[in-house]
Amino acid sequence: MKARTQKFKSNANESPPMFENKILNRLTQTHIATPIIIFFVYAIGLLWYTAANTDIPFLTVVLVFFAGILGFTFMEYAVHRWVYHPPHGASEAYKNATYKMHGMHHDYPKDKKRLAMPPLVAIILATSLLFLFELVLGQYSFSYLAGFVVGYALYLVVHYTVHIYAPPRNFLRALWVNHSIHHYSEDEVLFGVSQPLWDYVFGTMPRSDKDKRMAREIHR
């Protein structure tokens, strides 16, 4: 997959309407705090249910919880790389669908209201995952999903922060640099937003020092 030649259309704080219908368009926008609060509360409820209704040892719950966070980081990478960025030869219908899901964010990366999946969609997906995980993991599914949705909430915190705020002068600056490379230089590298773990695993770290220099220039 080749990187696009035009990396973004505008750094304005708001992107154009996604749909002509005002109600439908409003459903595509959300304040970043809404899904973060929803999924932290959801995770607390899942952990409470695990403690109240299963006999899983506390240490096991903790380990499964962190396995859920790790599972989310892989999902974050996989969806971003193999779903949101259409491969060569993808149909126009697929390209149009992924543009609405992700491409518009690349064109208007500073739009605060489109830095998270709409909460209604995210809740439906999370509930569907609960049934799926329960089929595979049984009683461990609740603590695993708790970690998974906390992973998503933490991803939202990182994604919002690196788009809206200036980078710090410490090791966390790498998150700003990495995501800037993906947005403004090469969109075929650095698919991990909250961390670069799976970019190292799958070999999608930046390919040149030029990309790193460009990202640093963006943040000056």
Side-chain angles (χ1 to χ4, degrees), residues 36-95:
I36 291 171
I37 292 170
I38 286 172
F39 285 110
F40 273 120
V41 172
Y42 191 19
I44 290 169
L46 289 166
L47 291 173
W48 173 84
Y49 183 88
T50 299
N53 296 280
T54 74
D55 55 0
I56 303 173
F58 175 76
L59 181 58
T60 303
V61 171
V62 172
L63 291 174
V64 174
F65 175 83
F66 280 103
I69 293 178
L70 181 64
F72 174 79
T73 64
F74 175 73
M75 181 67 72
E76 170 195 335
Y77 177 91
V79 171
H80 193 182
R81 180 179 180 183
W82 291 305
V83 177
Y84 285 166
H85 287 262
H88 286 305
S91 68
E92 286 303 312
Y94 184 78
K95 289 178 182 177

Side-chain angles (χ1 to χ4, degrees), residues 29-211:
Q29 301 173 317
T30 182
H31 189 286
I32 194 66
T34 303
I36 291 171
I37 292 170
I38 286 172
F39 285 110
F40 273 120
V41 172
Y42 191 19
I44 290 169
L46 289 166
L47 291 173
W48 173 84
Y49 183 88
T50 299
N53 296 280
T54 74
D55 55 0
I56 303 173
F58 175 76
L59 181 58
T60 303
V61 171
V62 172
L63 291 174
V64 174
F65 175 83
F66 280 103
I69 293 178
L70 181 64
F72 174 79
T73 64
F74 175 73
M75 181 67 72
E76 170 195 335
Y77 177 91
V79 171
H80 193 182
R81 180 179 180 183
W82 291 305
V83 177
Y84 285 166
H85 287 262
H88 286 305
S91 68
E92 286 303 312
Y94 184 78
K95 289 178 182 177
N96 288 337
T98 57
Y99 181 80
K100 284 184 169 60
M101 289 188 289
H102 186 67
M104 182 173 279
H105 168 58
H106 270 265
D107 283 347
Y108 302 92
K110 298 292 186 183
D111 185 349
K112 295 181 180 181
K113 294 179 181 178
R114 288 205 169 102
L115 288 173
M117 187 183 299
L120 180 61
V121 175
I123 290 169
I124 291 170
L125 285 175
T127 304
S128 301
L129 285 173
L130 177 58
F131 290 112
L132 176 63
F133 291 160
E134 194 170 9
L135 284 174
V136 178
L137 300 173
Q139 64 178 351
Y140 299 99
S141 59
F142 305 103
S143 47
Y144 184 87
L145 183 60
F148 196 92
V149 297
V150 164
Y152 177 60
L154 294 175
Y155 154 81
L156 291 179
V157 171
V158 173
H159 194 212
Y160 184 87
T161 303
V162 299
H163 274 289
I164 304 304
Y165 296 103
R169 295 190 176 276
N170 56 40
F171 70 98
L172 291 174
R173 182 182 178 86
L175 295 173
W176 274 256
V177 172
N178 288 351
H179 204 50
S180 289
I181 291 171
H182 178 77
H183 266 276
Y184 301 109
S185 181
E186 271 193 283
D187 61 7
E188 58 183 2
V189 298
L190 291 165
F191 296 98
V193 177
S194 62
Q195 39 62 48
L197 169 64
W198 300 105
D199 288 293
Y200 281 108
V201 172
F202 290 102
T204 50
M205 289 300 290
R207 297 173 186 174
S208 69
D209 290 335
K210 175 184 137 222
D211 293 323

